Amino acid sequence: DNDVLVIEDASDGFAKKKVTVASLPSGGSGGFPNWQTYTPTWTGSSTNPSIGGGTLTGKYLQVGSTAFVVVEMVAGTGTNFGSGEWFFSLPVEAADLTAVGPALAWDVGTLKHEGIAWLFDTETVQCTNRSNGADWGSGVPFTWNAANGDLLRFSIMYETV
């Protein structure tokens, strides 16, 4: 029975205890759901970027009302970085704006920049420099270069509606 957890420990005198637990969607390892893929929408505050020959991927895992999301943008030939601050769509709407997560911007061959991914609204994530609070976009935290394969990656966990 997938809804029953049996706890057994003869060493402390306890008999078998039968505890009913909430069902989780099955499919993944240990009965947890599998990661799902999605294609994030990437927008700019002034002009929208376009991925061109790069890659923009997203994956998420939803367990009950909690979503775990990972997004990666790798610039490639023809990537246009748009203008202004960047935003990435979520696969599942957030219940509130309290979640934050780690973010990485890699100026390939030069520096890695630490950032914070945060919920801009219930459907969108924005990344910000950890050191100075500047929102990431076409010129922040560095001048992005498609030829180098510069990349941005973030993860965030949040409560869903």
Side-chain angles (χ1 to χ4, degrees):
D1 186 351
N2 289 337
D3 296 335
V4 175
L5 170 66
V6 177
I7 301 171
E8 190 174 357
D9 185 353
S11 66
D12 63 5
F14 285 102
K16 287 184 179 180
K17 304 285 183 190
K18 189 174 184 179
V19 179
T20 302
V21 296
S23 294
L24 294 173
S26 62
S29 175
F32 284 97
N34 288 318
W35 283 89
Q36 303 296 313
T37 59
Y38 84 105
T39 302
T41 301
W42 180 27
T43 57
S45 59
S46 298
T47 305
N48 286 339
S50 60
I51 198 61
T55 59
L56 177 59
T57 58
K59 66 179 183 177
Y60 70 101
L61 177 69
Q62 186 169 358
V63 179
S65 62
T66 302
F68 305 87
V69 177
V70 179
V71 170
E72 181 178 81
M73 181 279 294
V74 180
T77 304
T79 298
N80 178 316
F81 299 104
S83 60
E85 301 165 355
W86 291 339
F87 305 91
F88 297 88
S89 65
L90 293 169
V92 181
E93 186 176 357
D96 56 41
L97 304 180
T98 59
V100 295
L104 168 73
W106 187 6
D107 187 1
V108 174
T110 308
L111 290 173
K112 294 179 179 104
H113 299 263
E114 253 187 289
I116 299 167
W118 56 281
L119 295 174
F120 179 79
D121 59 34
T122 60
E123 298 176 341
T124 311
V125 171
Q126 186 171 27
C127 296
T128 300
N129 260 356
R130 187 167 176 247
S131 61
N132 64 9
D135 294 326
W136 290 358
S138 56
V140 179
F142 50 82
T143 302
W144 295 82
N145 186 335
N148 289 347
D150 290 346
L151 72 85
L152 180 150
R153 181 182 301 135
F154 70 83
S155 62
I156 193 164
M157 178 183 74
Y158 60 94
E159 181 183 2
T160 63
V161 291

